[in-house]
């Protein structure tokens, strides 16, 4: 029997995402023959579809906020009364995997049927046209994925969720400053409250910029929060799960079919998942600046790769490691290759990495290997962890070794074995890389 996923913990997942179309046309859904809408246009089921799908929505609404509250959350300006954040979460049928897909607010789609002639626009405006119901049906139509449950909150509610769950942990390798969002973070790891979390997930004027750039930061916040709740035991028993969900009363709104008891039961299920059992991704993008008269800059999906993503969710399969979702012909990584500086002990390997796009410096690595060393080792400093992981994708047989004090330059000592070099590419359209598991997003 299909299980219901609606952990209130997942509401802290709210953080910008991505949806698009192909050939300049709005997304109308994947594999039309597999979708079975009812008379209202809702998708009732899809052959082979298992698990439970939840649509998580954060609203860009200042309704009811006082001037003091707006200033505290740093959400001045004009509200669009639309969705600022959208995530589609899938809990596998065996309850051993959680897949979270971010959906960019400017995704260009055709809206589901409502009291208006057939038309298309940015997915975030579906809420303005028809509230949560139209938002839900529009996502179903665009993806072909049945939405079992819907949850939404606003700025104040999101801040309250974070505060009542004990704050969020975030980390950064460099200074993060966004004056418009009221955010300043020094390099390192930080425990932030609800107000600062709102600023963190909404920051757009940091590198990488825009809605796409903020997605992975938001996913990191969510992954870290789920990990910390698991370690704290907040969800490790029915009583604690009920207490945790009860603490969020009044901060989130759900569809009528989602009861508090179901929320608690699912919080208990999600609380048992380890970081490597959660995976995070964005809808693959073909054009992040598709101009449409009357709508300005919109986002279009990469049709083939996004179809593969939705197909994986419908079939209850993992999205990490699925080559159909990654850029064609190479493994996708989340760091620009020229930004990865390294020294390599073997000239042939170094030249292969240089041709691929890595910055290979002259000179020998400082860390020498024994003459009988079989393995190739990648030595890196704490600040170069993400760069080292990207390099490891190109040298999959190598072993990673963190060395404190090494700095940003990575050293590769090539052994007798582990000489395989695999093509990699920076996935710009995926906004910071391919699908990854939660353990890859955690703070060091």
């Amino acid at each position: 029997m299909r299980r219901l996923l609606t952990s209130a913990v997942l509401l802290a997942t709210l953080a910008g995402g991505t949806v698009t179309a192909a050939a300049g046309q709005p997304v109308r859904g994947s594999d039309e023959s597999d979708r079975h809408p009812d008379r209202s246009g809702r998708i009732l089921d899809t052959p082979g579809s298992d698990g439970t799908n939840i649509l998580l929505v954060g609203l860009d609404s200042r309704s009811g906020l006082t001037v003091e509250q707006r200033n505290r959350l740093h959400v001045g300006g004009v509200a669009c009364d639309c969705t600022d954040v959208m995530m589609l979460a899938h809990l596998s049928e065996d309850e051993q995997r959680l897949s979270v897909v971010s959906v960019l607010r400017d995704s260009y789609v055709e809206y589901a049927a409502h009291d208006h002639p057939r038309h298309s626009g940015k997915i975030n405006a579906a809420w303005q046209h028809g509230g949560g119901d139209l938002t839900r049906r529009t996502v179903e139509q665009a993806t072909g994925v049945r939405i079992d449950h819907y949850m939404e909150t606003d700025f104040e509610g999101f801040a309250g969720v974070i505060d009542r769950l004990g704050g969020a942990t975030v980390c950064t390798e460099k200074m993060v400053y966004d004056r418009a969002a009221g955010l300043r973070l020094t390099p390192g790891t930080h425990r932030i409250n609800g107000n600062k979390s709102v600023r963190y997930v909404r920051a757009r004027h940091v590198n990488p910029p825009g809605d796409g750039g903020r997605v992975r930061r938001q996913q990191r916040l969510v992954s870290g929060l789920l990990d910390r709740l698991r370690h704290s035991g907040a969800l490790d028993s029915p009583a604690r799960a009920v207490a945790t969900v009860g603490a969020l009363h009044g901060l989130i709104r759900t569809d009528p079919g989602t009861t508090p008891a179901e929320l608690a039961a699912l919080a208990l299920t999600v609380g048992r998942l380890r970081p490597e059992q959660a995976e995070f991704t964005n809808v693959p993008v073909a054009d992040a600046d598709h101009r449409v008269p009357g709508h300005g800059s919109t986002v279009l999906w990469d049709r083939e790769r996004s179809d593969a993503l939705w197909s994986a969710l419908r079939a209850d399969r993992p999205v990490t490691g699925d080559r159909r979702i990654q850029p064609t012909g190479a493994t996708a990584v989340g760091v620009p290759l020229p930004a990865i500086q390294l020294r390599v002990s073997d000239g042939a390997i170094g030249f292969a990495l240089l041709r691929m796009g890595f910055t290979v410096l002259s000179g020998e690595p400082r860390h020498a290997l024994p003459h009988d060393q079989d393995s190739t080792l990648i030595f890196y400093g704490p600040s170069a962890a993400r760069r080292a992981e990207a390099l490891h994708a190109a040298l999959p047989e190598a072993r990673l070794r963190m060395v404190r004090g090494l700095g940003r330059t990575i050293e590769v000592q090539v052994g007798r074995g582990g000489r395989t070099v695999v093509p990699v590419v920076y996935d710009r359209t995926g906004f910071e890389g391919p699908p990854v598991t939660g353990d890859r997003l955690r703070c060091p």
Side-chain angles (χ1 to χ4, degrees):
M1 181 178 180
R2 187 173 288 115
R3 306 208 181 189
L4 162 71
L5 164 68
T6 29
S7 166
V9 178
L10 286 180
L11 207 41
T13 298
L14 298 179
T18 181
V19 178
T20 31
Q25 298 300 316
V27 175
R28 297 183 181 178
S30 309
D31 300 332
E32 295 283 338
S33 61
D34 288 343
R35 296 167 56 235
H36 297 269
D38 64 10
R39 293 180 180 177
S40 69
R42 291 286 321 289
I43 293 176
L44 297 179
D45 204 356
T46 304
S49 177
D50 292 310
T52 306
N53 304 306
I54 313 298
L55 185 61
L56 306 169
V57 165
L59 300 180
D60 181 353
S61 173
R62 281 76 160 176
S63 177
L65 293 181
T66 65
V67 173
E68 187 277 331
Q69 288 173 318
R70 293 189 184 197
N71 291 338
R72 175 164 45 82
L73 296 169
H74 219 275
V75 290
V78 179
C80 68
D81 285 327
C82 60
T83 54
D84 187 55
V85 169
M86 185 179 291
M87 286 188 169
L88 178 56
H90 172 84
L91 183 67
S92 62
E93 181 72 9
D94 63 6
E95 299 182 339
Q96 296 300 305
R97 183 182 65 259
L98 176 69
S99 305
V100 180
V101 182
S102 295
V103 180
L104 282 179
R105 53 178 282 161
D106 289 341
S107 300
Y108 189 57
V109 300
E110 180 179 298
Y111 300 125
H114 61 290
D115 188 19
H116 191 285
R118 184 173 177 176
H119 65 129
S120 302
K122 296 180 180 181
I123 200 168
N124 68 336
W127 195 90
Q128 187 178 44
H129 286 286
D133 174 67
L134 181 61
T135 298
R136 176 178 180 169
R137 290 189 292 112
T138 295
V139 171
E140 287 185 325
Q141 177 174 279
T143 66
V145 175
R146 181 200 67 251
I147 303 299
D148 299 301
H149 299 280
Y150 172 91
M151 302 171 67
E152 73 174 29
T153 189
D154 51 25
F155 295 138
E156 185 77 2
F158 176 74
V161 167
I162 297 297
D163 283 337
R164 294 186 190 180
L165 293 178
T169 300
V170 298
C171 54
T172 177
E173 295 180 1
K174 55 189 176 182
M175 171 70 74
V176 174
Y177 175 64
D178 186 342
R179 182 178 180 181
L183 178 68
R184 182 190 296 271
L185 290 176
T186 57
T189 300
H190 305 267
R191 176 69 66 83
I192 57 177
N193 62 14
N195 290 337
K196 203 161 191 176
S197 293
V198 171
R199 302 178 187 189
Y200 180 82
V201 300
R202 299 189 71 241
R204 295 164 52 92
H205 304 285
V206 296
N207 189 37
D211 288 328
R214 69 180 184 167
V215 166
R216 192 64 99 195
R217 292 191 299 274
Q218 297 161 347
Q219 293 175 350
R220 287 177 184 275
L221 180 146
V222 174
S223 178
L225 180 61
L226 292 174
D227 195 24
R228 186 174 59 76
L229 288 173
R230 183 175 66 88
H231 282 293
S232 71
L235 302 172
D236 66 358
S237 72
R240 289 191 174 188
V242 168
T244 299
V245 171
L248 305 182
H249 178 70
L251 297 177
I252 60 176
R253 295 172 292 278
T254 67
D255 62 275
T258 302
T259 68
E262 290 167 331
L263 284 174
L266 289 159
L268 185 65
T269 298
V270 173
R272 296 190 179 114
L273 297 178
R274 300 182 304 276
E276 59 269 24
Q277 292 177 285
E279 51 186 10
F280 297 83
T281 191
N282 317 310
V283 182
V285 173
D287 188 349
D289 187 26
H290 176 65
R291 299 285 170 165
V292 179
H295 297 284
S297 177
T298 69
V299 176
L300 296 181
W301 284 341
D302 180 306
R303 188 56 178 265
E304 290 186 5
R305 292 169 59 206
S306 62
D307 280 358
L309 172 62
W310 305 130
S311 176
L313 292 186
R314 291 195 300 270
D316 200 29
R317 296 193 309 265
V319 299
T320 51
D322 189 331
R323 287 191 170 273
R324 300 175 308 156
I325 300 172
Q326 306 214 16
T328 303
T331 298
V333 297
V335 180
L337 303 192
I340 304 174
Q341 297 184 348
L342 52 140
R343 289 188 173 90
V344 186
S345 66
D346 183 279
I349 301 297
F351 184 67
L353 294 173
L354 179 66
R355 291 188 61 185
M356 200 180 301
F358 292 93
T359 299
V360 180
L361 305 177
S362 60
E364 287 291 319
R366 291 183 298 171
H367 293 79
L369 295 178
H371 293 297
D372 61 349
Q373 175 69 41
D374 287 329
S375 299
T376 292
L377 299 182
I378 299 174
F379 296 99
Y380 66 96
S383 63
R386 291 187 61 226
R387 294 175 177 84
E389 289 184 355
L391 174 61
H392 190 224
L395 300 172
E397 297 174 348
R399 297 181 181 178
L400 291 168
R401 293 287 187 273
M402 188 178 75
V403 179
R404 296 194 178 278
L406 187 57
R408 289 183 171 272
T409 299
I410 299 171
E411 298 187 354
V412 181
Q413 281 286 358
V414 181
R416 294 186 306 184
R419 301 176 62 87
T420 300
V421 180
V422 175
V424 298
V425 62
Y426 173 50
D427 184 11
R428 289 181 176 83
T429 63
F431 301 109
E432 294 218 353
V436 296
T437 51
D439 56 312
R440 299 281 298 276
L441 298 179
R442 63 168 48 167
C443 291

